[in-house]
Amino acid sequence: MDEIMKIGHLRLTSGAPFRKPAQTDNAAAGNASFKDVLDRTVLHFSHHAEQRIAQRGITLKPDALTKIGQAIDQAAAKGAKDSLIVYRDIAMIVNVPSRTVVTAMDGRSAQDNVFTKIDSAVIVS
């Protein structure tokens, strides 16, 4: 599983399935629609993030996407809304409720930057 995946709307298939914390409404009652279940397992990338990833030559392998998804789950469990996720030398701003990467940068681009409008940060090992 060392093949590189193209960025877009990806469904992560390796590793444990992702779960959002404590669902209310229909999902909690076990009546989750297919769309609800799919939304909990998909990592989205905004158009802006896709452009930045391509411009900066960032590649994300399936295991990296799994770890990033787990980091988003951790942030969601703590009630985060917008989080800085740092994976190796890649920094991403993620909207946690929608599981959408808003922007991404490599280590060179992240140096000397101030990250604003975030309420949490997750460092992925």
Side-chain angles (χ1 to χ4, degrees), residues 31-52:
N31 298 329
S33 70
F34 177 76
K35 183 183 180 319
D36 292 337
V37 172
L38 185 61
D39 285 344
R40 287 192 300 262
T41 60
V42 173
L43 180 60
H44 305 278
F45 290 82
S46 70
H47 181 70
H48 175 79
E50 288 176 359
Q51 287 179 329
R52 294 297 173 258

Side-chain angles (χ1 to χ4, degrees), residues 7-122:
I7 300 302
H9 297 282
L10 301 175
R11 180 166 188 246
L12 305 178
T13 56
S14 63
F18 302 119
R19 293 187 178 94
K20 286 187 180 179
Q23 294 288 321
T24 53
D25 62 45
N26 289 345
N31 298 329
S33 70
F34 177 76
K35 183 183 180 319
D36 292 337
V37 172
L38 185 61
D39 285 344
R40 287 192 300 262
T41 60
V42 173
L43 180 60
H44 305 278
F45 290 82
S46 70
H47 181 70
H48 175 79
E50 288 176 359
Q51 287 179 329
R52 294 297 173 258
I53 288 169
Q55 287 173 351
R56 294 170 175 152
I58 298 170
T59 56
L60 296 169
K61 294 183 180 181
D63 63 322
L65 294 171
T66 299
K67 289 181 180 183
I68 293 165
Q70 291 169 345
I72 294 170
D73 290 340
Q74 290 174 338
K78 297 287 185 175
K81 302 290 185 228
D82 292 294
S83 187
L84 170 67
I85 307 285
V86 179
Y87 175 75
R88 295 188 180 176
D89 69 334
I90 302 168
M92 294 168 276
I93 303 296
V94 178
N95 178 272
V96 175
S98 68
R99 301 181 65 80
T100 302
V101 177
V102 177
T103 193
M105 58 193 76
D106 58 2
R108 289 171 298 179
S109 301
Q111 288 180 349
D112 299 323
N113 272 327
V114 176
F115 297 96
T116 60
K117 297 186 180 179
I118 61 170
D119 59 14
S120 61
V122 182

